[in-house]
Amino acid sequence: MGDADLGEQIRERIVEAHHWGRGLRIVAGGTRERPGRRVAGEELSLGAHRGILEWEPSELVLRARAGTPVLEIEAALATERQMLGFEPPRAAETATIGGAVATAQSGPRRPFAGAARDFVLGVGCIDGTGQRLGFGGRVIKNVAGYDISRLMCGAHGTLGVLLDVAIRLLPVPECEQSLVRECEPLQAMQIMNSLRSRPLPLSGAAWEAGLLRLRLEGAESAVSRAARELGGDAEADARWWQELRDQRLPFFRDARSLWRVALPPTAAPLALDAAELIDWCGAQRWLSGDVDATLVRARAAQLGGHATLCRGATDDPFHPLAPGMLALQQRLKRVFDPRRVLNPGRLYREL
Amino acid sequence: MDTPSPEQPPAAVADAATLCRELRALLPPGAVLSSPSELAPYECDGLSAYRQRPLAVVIPRCVEEVQAVLRLCSARGVPVVARGAGTGLSGGALPHAAGVLLVMARFDRILSVDPAACTARVQPGVRNLAISEAAAPHGLYYAPDPSSQIACSIGGNVAENAGGVHCLKYGLTVHNVLAAEILLMNGERLTLGGEGPDSPGYDLLALLCGSEGLLGVIVEVTVRLLARPPCARLLLATFDSPVRAGAAVASIIAAGIVPAGLEMMDGLAIRAAEAFAHAGYPTDAAALLLCELDGTEEECTGQLMRVESLLRAGGATELRVAADEAERLRLWSGRKSAFPAVGRLAPDYYCMDGSIPRSRLGDVLERIAVLSSEYGLPVANVFHAGDGNLHPLILYDAGKPGELQRTEELGEKILAFCVEVGGTITGEHGVGVEKLGAMCLQFGAAELERFHAVKEAFDPAGLLNPGKAVPTLARCAEGRRMHVHGGELPFPGIERF
Ligand SMILES: Cc1cc2nc3c(=O)[nH]c(=O)nc-3n(C[C@H](O)[C@H](O)[C@H](O)COP(=O)(O)OP(=O)(O)OC[C@H]3O[C@@H](n4cnc5c(N)ncnc54)[C@H](O)[C@@H]3O)c2cc1C
C-alpha cells in the first residue's frame, strides 16, 4: 500500500458525524486486539492514511501519518540504526504508529527508557467537531501551551483522531545480551528491587514460569561487565523479548482472559489464582486465567495500582475512576468532543 | 465557543481590608501579609521587568489551609496565583492586582524516600537540589537539574516542566514525575498519576506538567529517582565560530551518542562566565561546548573517544577533558552561573528561551547575530545545545527610553525565526505573561480556544493564575502582533481594533 493523505476525507466524515451527533468507531491497524469497551458507530478507518512525513536521522525525530505501520517505520529506522524507544507491541503486522500512541502501549524497555507518552513530541489531529489542530511540535523541549499531545496519548482516540505524530527516537544500542536464571516469583521480585537502584545498562527485566530474564543493552564493554556482575546464563536467542513485546508468547496466546495490572514496582506478587507474568521490572503484571474481576481490582487498588481486562468478557475493562476524577475527565472530553462522536464509550461509558 | 477572557480581572473585585480579615480568620498568625513593605518582596518573580503587588500574600503550611484559602477566594471571586520560589523567568508567578498570592514555600518537607522503588514523595516547596541531597545516601538522585536548582521548588518545576543541563539524556520534569496531588480552585483534591507506571483514564499528569499554575495548586509530588552513574567525564571544546560548534553538536547527535549534557556558550558568554566564576575557560574562543558523558567506566571511556574524534573532525580548536572531579565541577560552575555573569555586562538583560531542531542551530545563531547588530543590542548565547534549546540573552538598559521595547521587539523576532525553522517560542521557561504575544505566532485560534476550554474544565470561574500562559483571541488579533500568512488573516472571525 502506498502513502496517502486522507486527512481531508477523515475531517469530512467527522464534520458530518458531528452534525448528526453520530458516533464513529475509529480503526487504525484494525486487527490489533486492544482493551476497550465496544463502540457503537460507523467505522472510521485510518489504515490508509499513511507515510513517513519527516525523518532527519541527525535529529533523532520522526513524524509520520497515524496509519503508518510500526513495522514499516522500524524497517526504515533500522537503516540508520535508530529505533522507537518505547517498543510498541506489533501484535499484528498492520499495527500502526497512531494506534500505538492512541492506546499508549509500551514494551519491555518502558521502565528504563520511558513510555509511549515520553517519546511523543507533537500531534496533528482532528477533534470531535471536525477541527484540525496541531499541538506540540518536533523539537525536544517545548512548553508553549498545554501539553495536549501527551494528553492524546492513551486517550484511545476519544479526544481527537490522530492524523500524524512526531516522535523522539533512540539510537540502537551497540550490543544486546539476555540473561536467564531459574527462580521463584518472590525471589525474582527481590532481585528486581535490588537492580533498580544500580547503574546498570538494563533494558528489560521480566519473570515468567520460573525464569527471570534480564536484558542488557549498551556499549559492548559495559554490557559484558554487567553480565558478569549479574550472573545467570547467557541466552543466545533474544526472540523471547520480541515475543514478550508483541504479546506473542504462549502465555498471551493461550490466555482466555488476560489482565494487565500496573503496580508500584515493589508491590508484592499478586498471588491470585492465575498464571502471572511480571514485566517492567515489577511494575506491570499480566494475569492469565479466570479470576474474579472485583478481586483483581481490589487487590490492584490495595497495592496502589490499577487493573485492565485486556481479553475476556466484560462491560468495563478499565479500572473505575473516582467520581471527582471522572467528572473532570468528562469535562475534558466535552472540550474536544462535545457531541461524543469519537469512539464514544470506548474508555468509559461516560466518556 | 464561549470562553472567559482571563486577561481581564474578574468582575468581583474584593475590598482588600475585608479579604485580609477573612483570610486571617482562616490562617494562623503571620500567614497573611498585606502591608506594602511586606508585599514588596513578592511583586515579581525572576523576570523583574514585570512587577505587580497583590491584595495579599498568604503563606499556608498545610493542605487544609490552602483549601480554605481557595474556597474563600472562589466564593469571593478573587484570583489566586501560586508561587513556589519565584525564580520563574516568564512572569508566571507575577501577582494579580486584585488577587491573592499563594506562597507554597513553607511546604518544604521531604515526606519519604523509597530506595527500593527509587521514588521520593515531597511537598511542593521543596527545593530541587534538596531532593537529590536527600536521595544521595542511597546512591540516587533526581535528574532534572535546572541551573536554578539551589533555589527553585519542585512545585514550580512541575508547573513549568523545567529542564536542565542533564535533560538531554534523562528527560524533563514530565519524564521524572510519577504523581502529583493537586487542589482545584474550588478546593477539591485530586491525585494525578500514581506510584505505578500509569493510571487509568486520561494522562492528566502530563497535562499538569507545564500548565503554569493555571489548572490546579500542586500540594504534593512523587518523583522518580535514578541511580547515580559511577562515572561522569566532562569534555570542553572550543571553536572559532558558533556555527561550527553548532554543526559539531549535530554530528554528535547524528552519531547516535546521547551525552548526559551538551551545552554551548558563545564568546560574549564565555568571557562573562570566566570573569565571574574563574572556571578556566579559554577567553579567546568564539564558542565553547561542554559535553558530559556518564554511565559505567567502560561506557564513558568508549564514548569519550568517539566524541573527541567527532569534535576534532568538526574543527575544534582546543579539546580538554576534566582531569578530576574538582575540575569537572569548576568547568560546570562557569556554565551554571552564566546568567548572572552575563547580567553583569549591562544594567539589564532579557533571557529568551526558543527551541529549535538541532540541525538548524547554525542558521539560527547567524540570524540572531544579524538581528543583534541591526538593533544595536548585544546578544550573548548560553544554551542547552544538545536539545536545541536556546537562551539568547539580550543586553539592554531599561533606563534608556524605548530600549526595553526594542529589546522585546528583537526578542520576538528571534522567537518568530525559531517558529519559522520548526521550533517553538519556549523550551522550558514557560509563557507566563512575557510570551503571550509570541504565543500568537505559534498557535492559531482553534488551538488557543481549546487551551482556554481546558482551563475552564479545571477552573470554570477562571480564577487560578488568570491571564497567563494563553493569550486571548482578541490579543492575537491586535494589529501589532498580527502575523499574516499568505495574505490570510489568522483570526478572520474576530473584530479588530
Ligand atoms: C538563574 C536562573 C536559571 C534558571 N535555569 C533554568 C533552567 O536551567 N531550566 C529551567 O527549566 N528553568 C530555569 N530557570 C527558571 C525557573 O527556575 C524554573 O522555571 C523553575 O521551575 C521555577 O520554579 P519556582 O519554584 O521558582 O516557581 P515560581 O517562579 O515561583 O513559579 C513558576 C510558575 O509555577 C507556578 N507554581 C509554583 N508553585 C506552584 C504550585 N505549588 N502549584 C501550582 N503552581 C505553582 C506559578 O504559579 C508560576 O506560574 C532559571 C531561573 C533562574 C533565575
Side-chain angles (χ1 to χ4, degrees), chain A residues 141, chain B residues 45-46 81-89 91-94 104 124-125 145-149 151-165 211-214 216-219 335-336 339-340 349 384 391 428-429 465 468:
Chain A
K141 287 168 81 174
Chain B
D45 61 7
V81 176
R83 174 180 165 117
T87 67
L89 291 174
L94 181 75
M104 299 300 286
D145 57 342
S147 307
S148 51
Q149 70 183 143
C152 65
S153 74
I154 188 70
N157 289 174
V158 173
E160 299 287 9
N161 189 16
V165 296
S211 63
E212 303 195 17
L214 271 75
V217 176
I218 301 157
V219 293
R335 165 61 187 90
K336 291 214 172 188
F339 286 11
Y349 74 91
H384 311 299
H391 290 318
E428 60 181 14
H429 294 166
N465 214 2
K468 310 277 181 67

Side-chain angles (χ1 to χ4, degrees), chain A residues 56-78:
Chain A
E56 241 179 278
S58 70
E59 282 293 322
L60 283 163
V61 171
L62 169 126
R63 201 164 67 86
R65 291 200 185 99
T68 318
V70 171
L71 283 174
E72 181 182 320
I73 291 176
E74 291 189 321
L77 295 179

